[in-house]
Amino acid sequence: MMKLTGILNDIKLRNKLSLIFIAAAVIPMLISGVILTVQLREILIAGAFQQAVSNVERVRQRTEEVIKVPLDISYRLSNDSRLRTVVNREYGSNYEVVHAYKQYTDLRNYVHMYKEIQGIRLYTPNSTMLNNWDFMQPDEAIQNQPWYKQALEQRGLVGWSFMEDERDGQSYLSLVRRINLEDWLYDSVLVINVDTVLLNAILAQETFATWIVDDQNNIVAANRPDLYGKNLKEMHGDNPEMLTRSEGSFDVMLAGHPSKVVISSLSLQNSWNGLRVISVFRIPEIVKEANGVIGRAARVIAASFFAAILLVYSSASLITRRLLRLSKHMSKVGSGSWKAFLTIDGKDEIGQLSRQFNGMVERLNQLMNEVEESNYQKSLLEQKQNDIKFKMLASQINPHFLFNTLDSIRMEAHVRGQEDIAVAVWQLSSMIRSSLEIGNRAIQLREEMNIVLCYLELQKFRHEERLQYELNIEPDAEQVEILPLIIQPLVENSIIHGLENKEEGATLVQVHVYRIQEGVRIEVIDNGAGISQDKLLEIHGHLEDLEEEAADRRIGLRNVHDRLILSYGKPYGLRIDSVEGKGTSVSFLIPKEGHMHV
């Protein structure tokens, strides 16, 4: 070792720099490049695999949340005594059937209240009933469907089938089950369609090809629209593991490319079958970009290597001479001679270093003081940042805590048999969640009406028989976009001033939505206490005076009125008509070609 050290010490600096560059930079760089290339490929594949596993688990959880809604509704309907009465009754005329349908609207109400549901229909062989798309008599073709037979054979267990809806000819992932087997006179089969758009929206966020398939390998949702409704047997019939495996991951060749497949099963309680979430990514696509970067880097490194050898060798002599002079002066400073000055010509780094050398010694103490001051300022900044973080954490409110708490209260009320309390808590939670999710964006009328329905049900729970309500909306008006939370304040105002100021008798609140030539007319009518003409004139004056601050009791009307005017123009504000002792009507118009500024 000493002999080798002596040999190295005898080599001239320019040659030594070249050897050191080759031994210490080039050779390790080549070895490291090969190792890193292999490891990078493995890391990319492992990262993509971990991402696929996480994506599949996230999709599975969100899909489970969606399909729990129709599952919960099916349990409610299976124990619905009113539904049992409608289905088991022997009707003497069509009038009796139509009257019964008008009295029982729960099936349509569920569709309107839950965005996870596309439709509900009940097949019952009661020959005295009429088909109205909610209640249907199964014909021979329906009775011979595998899903219909399985539902009858499974005695109340839930099944999930990809089936065509007779109403619109579209195929949906649907819940099927025979309900209340022992008490009903007729073997009835309940079908609840899951909203396909919502399922596809869950998958649309995924980077890799991801599908949800049923037990027959039908693709019921996908992040590629062209795959929806196809069968895996047609696409990957040569890969039986993809068709039959319910959990785990495996390697497979797809279209001539090595790929990885991640599968997770989704099995719900009391179901005779389940669903699977499948995610696929091709390995060449994952490492393609990395391979390109590595290839370009290798070419650059090779060219740089030869140029560096020449430059190192040619410039080593010049550098060594000037460095020797610099070393001597640095030795003087190291020995404590702070008055030493160095003069080396040239405008390169060494020349600049020589010119800065003199000032370095002079600024040394100043620099140390600046470092100390900088550390002190950094310490103060970190302390203030920690204080801000603590205050932010202390002031955070997690909406999920509120929703989880309300859900726990609802479940506890359900367990104790307090169904009315459970429903009220659920409606409050749904209303709060909708209000938080809406933000400032425009929403469809049916979303707003769902919020109004939840609010009315909560007030109905509070006031019981003193409050009655009717919601009438024309079907072709449900898709019209409207300002969020624009109808609910009007309904709230009707209840507060119409019902609570009424000494006796029930108050009826009506919400009518219908199309007219100019657009969509929305009216909120009550038969409550009404408003005197003097008071009505005063209210109109406050609404029109934009400079005046709204009074507390009129802040809801003023807020709605101002938002309508700002969005559609002054002619489209609130119109209020009232007769004292008879009731109040509040209405406004959504223009046909209106453009909102929200």
Side-chain angles (χ1 to χ4, degrees), residues 403-416:
F403 297 141
N404 292 339
T405 303
L406 289 175
D407 191 58
S408 299
I409 296 173
R410 180 181 69 85
M411 293 304 299
E412 182 65 21
H414 178 72
V415 170
R416 297 187 180 185

Side-chain angles (χ1 to χ4, degrees), residues 251-271:
D251 297 327
V252 67
M253 293 294 295
L254 296 179
H257 299 284
S259 306
K260 276 191 174 293
V261 179
V262 180
I263 301 178
S264 179
S265 64
L266 198 158
S267 300
L268 293 177
Q269 187 176 6
N270 298 326
S271 298

Side-chain angles (χ1 to χ4, degrees), residues 423-492:
V423 171
V425 172
W426 174 85
Q427 288 165 340
L428 176 60
S429 176
S430 178
M431 184 176 176
I432 296 175
R433 185 184 299 273
S434 299
S435 299
L436 290 177
E437 292 176 351
I438 286 173
N440 291 324
R441 65 179 177 85
I443 64 174
Q444 293 183 349
L445 251 173
R446 64 177 181 181
E447 296 182 56
E448 176 73 3
M449 293 301 288
N450 285 339
I451 297 176
V452 172
L453 178 61
C454 290
Y455 177 77
L456 284 170
E457 283 295 327
L458 287 171
Q459 292 293 349
K460 178 74 173 176
F461 176 78
R462 174 187 174 191
H463 296 287
E464 298 180 344
E465 297 302 325
R466 288 197 63 206
L467 174 64
Q468 303 294 328
Y469 67 86
E470 294 180 3
L471 302 180
N472 301 306
I473 178 171
E474 292 185 356
D476 60 346
E478 291 183 347
Q479 306 297 326
V480 174
E481 290 193 342
I482 189 175
L483 296 171
L485 296 177
I486 203 76
I487 302 177
Q488 186 270 336
L490 304 183
V491 175
E492 181 178 356

